[in-house]
Amino acid sequence: MKKIITDKIYNDVGRIVEGMVVVVDDDGIIRSIDHLNDHDTSTVAYFEGLLIPGLINTHCHLELSHMKGVVDTGTGLISFITDVVSKRDMDPAYIKQCIQDADQEMYDNGIVAVGDISNAVDTFEVKETSSLLYYNFIEFFDFLQDDDAERTYKQYKKVYDVFSRSKRQFSSCVPHAPYSVSKQLFSRINQVNLDHTCTVSIHNQEIKDENDLFINGSGGFPGFYNKFGISLASFEPTGQPSFHYAIQHMDPSKKSLFVHNTQTTSSDIQEIHAWSDQVYFATCPNANLYIEGQLPDYASFIENKAKMTIGTDSLTSNWQLSILEEIKTIQRFHSYISTETLLGWATSNGAEALGLSDRFGSIELGKKCGLNVIQGLDDHGK
């Protein structure tokens, strides 16, 4: 048994308090949470800082870890995607080593669970022996080509079949983004997930061009598709922001994680909430700054009581894989958001979004949630 006391603790009701002792057994399971004056302080291990549960990274692309520094910052999403597609093939041994290193980096940075996008099986072996728990989002995309939906479905279904055989990982089939998934492919994804309790992730409104494509067929995506020889002849703009197309074809009974949301407005959030009460939003601030130099309007999410979570995205679009650094970035640009609020995004909300609240997300009796002692966060607005 180990008795731990820190200057402060982020407790199970989302408050930062003082004068508490957490007792953890040799397996890392929390056995008691008591007031300091109830314990003999000579047997207490003291650490300077704030005690929080293990951090949850709800959006990552571990399989792209080998592309750190390959893609320039500030080029915009369409250029970024073009570089990822054209430059991601490298030596398999190097890719595997980078995946191992990135997995270790997340562990070292206090992360205990990861919602990870997978287009291939490259990460499977590392995840099977990792200290982290992975929720794999097997991502499907056919670039709005209904005629190609069945071939694409079979291609990525094979990836899903590999991951779904694991006894220590969780997996679901997910659409990449509104601008890259046809109606037919949405339907096939829904069929696979139909009888499973799962979370479905989708990239959402990351740039203005995405909304422009659906509103009137303008923006940079038609040129992007043309560059890769993909026809949009059968695509018809809906006259509405991109998320409308997505939610028309997603299952509202599943937990849905909308990722990035830099162009998402207050009215958009309200419409998404009206569609389903199982909605979560993932923000990846450092990746948004890396690619577009822009952050979401966090005030709109807070005002609409959106369930926010935090992700790192990949090392292709970030300088590190650290949820703590993501929190610091948000505080740097939006200091009105309290530390308590941000810790909720990074812990309990993330665990809930991934369906892992029974083990992670809060410091509670009986949980093996992982414990971190952190420093460097602003204490304003507890």
Side-chain angles (χ1 to χ4, degrees):
M1 292 284 189
K2 177 181 288 187
K3 297 180 182 179
I4 301 170
I5 183 172
T6 56
D7 298 313
K8 298 178 181 179
I9 179 175
Y10 180 71
N11 67 18
D12 61 334
V13 294
R15 295 290 181 265
I16 296 175
V17 298
E18 300 176 347
M20 302 298 293
V21 175
V22 177
V23 179
V24 182
D25 69 17
D26 294 339
D27 294 321
I29 299 172
I30 297 172
R31 294 305 180 188
S32 71
I33 305 169
D34 303 307
H35 290 285
L36 180 59
N37 54 15
D38 294 331
H39 286 268
D40 176 3
T41 57
S42 65
T43 64
V44 174
Y46 169 75
F47 299 91
E48 182 179 357
L50 171 63
L51 185 68
I52 65 170
L55 297 161
I56 312 296
N57 181 357
T58 56
H59 184 74
C60 188
H61 295 252
L62 187 65
E63 66 190 13
L64 298 180
S65 300
H66 62 289
M67 296 187 69
K68 184 176 183 179
V70 172
V71 181
D72 290 331
T73 63
T75 61
L77 180 65
I78 293 177
S79 177
F80 176 84
I81 296 173
T82 302
D83 282 342
V84 170
V85 171
S86 60
K87 298 178 180 179
R88 69 181 292 172
D89 291 337
M90 296 186 189
D91 177 63
Y94 177 68
I95 292 175
K96 181 178 179 180
Q97 185 60 56
C98 290
I99 289 170
Q100 291 175 334
D101 293 345
D103 172 80
Q104 184 64 44
E105 178 181 343
M106 285 193 280
Y107 176 78
D108 292 341
N109 285 328
I111 294 169
V112 293
V114 184
D116 191 55
I117 301 293
S118 298
N119 305 131
V121 297
D122 295 355
T123 60
F124 180 81
E125 184 178 341
V126 170
K127 290 171 178 176
E128 280 292 272
T129 58
S130 173
S131 298
L132 308 180
L133 180 61
Y134 282 91
Y135 193 114
N136 301 298
F137 296 120
I138 311 306
E139 193 175 66
F140 291 59
F141 50 91
D142 61 0
F143 296 107
L144 298 172
Q145 307 298 299
D146 273 318
D147 292 342
D148 202 34
E150 191 62 25
R151 182 196 66 80
T152 301
Y153 165 76
K154 292 178 179 178
Q155 174 185 346
Y156 295 111
K157 178 61 162 55
K158 291 179 182 178
V159 177
Y160 171 76
D161 289 342
V162 171
F163 279 100
S164 64
R165 288 197 294 266
S166 172
K167 294 182 179 179
R168 71 182 310 272
Q169 302 178 43
F170 298 88
S171 300
S172 59
C173 297
V174 306
H176 168 255
Y179 59 80
S180 59
V181 179
S182 70
K183 298 176 183 178
Q184 292 296 327
L185 190 54
F186 266 116
S187 177
R188 297 296 268 141
I189 292 169
N190 290 341
Q191 288 173 15
V192 179
N193 293 332
L194 184 62
D195 297 324
H196 302 283
T197 300
C198 63
T199 302
V200 175
S201 156
I202 185 169
H203 294 77
N204 179 63
Q205 295 176 297
E206 195 168 353
I207 56 172
K208 180 177 181 294
D209 300 72
E210 180 180 330
N211 281 335
D212 290 343
L213 174 67
F214 282 89
I215 292 171
N216 56 27
S218 64
F221 277 109
F224 167 79
Y225 285 153
N226 183 64
K227 182 175 182 178
F228 286 96
I230 301 170
S231 173
L232 284 179
S234 61
F235 173 75
E236 295 183 7
T238 63
Q240 297 176 304
S242 61
F243 75 88
H244 283 276
Y245 170 75
I247 65 176
Q248 286 170 5
H249 301 288
M250 294 171 65
D251 184 349
S253 70
K254 305 298 183 186
K255 288 185 177 181
S256 298
L257 181 64
F258 290 79
V259 181
H260 292 305
N261 315 295
T262 52
Q263 300 295 316
T264 304
T265 67
S266 181
S267 61
D268 294 342
I269 298 166
Q270 292 167 17
E271 291 185 69
I272 294 172
H273 279 164
W275 165 72
S276 172
D277 61 359
Q278 298 289 311
V279 170
Y280 300 81
F281 296 90
T283 182
C284 306
N286 282 321
N288 296 149
L289 293 174
Y290 190 108
I291 298 171
E292 290 285 336
Q294 183 177 5
L295 293 175
D297 177 17
Y298 291 119
S300 292
F301 291 91
I302 293 171
E303 290 166 2
N304 286 288
K305 296 181 172 55
K307 294 180 180 179
M308 298 295 292
T309 72
I310 300 178
T312 62
D313 216 320
S314 75
L315 284 173
T316 317
S317 59
N318 207 331
W319 298 271
Q320 69 279 308
L321 300 178
S322 168
I323 295 298
L324 182 58
E325 289 302 318
E326 302 295 327
I327 292 174
K328 290 178 180 178
T329 293
I330 296 174
Q331 286 191 326
R332 189 176 307 122
F333 289 93
H334 295 267
S335 60
Y336 64 88
I337 306 178
S338 72
T339 296
E340 286 182 342
T341 295
L342 292 173
L343 288 175
W345 294 5
T347 58
S348 57
N349 282 8
E352 186 179 318
L354 299 182
L356 302 175
S357 295
D358 61 326
R359 63 187 82 184
F360 297 132
S362 58
I363 298 175
E364 293 185 66
L365 293 180
K367 279 191 177 182
K368 186 179 180 179
C369 62
L371 295 174
N372 295 310
V373 179
I374 63 172
Q375 299 173 338
L377 293 186
D378 295 333
D379 287 332
H380 60 273
K382 268 182 46 179

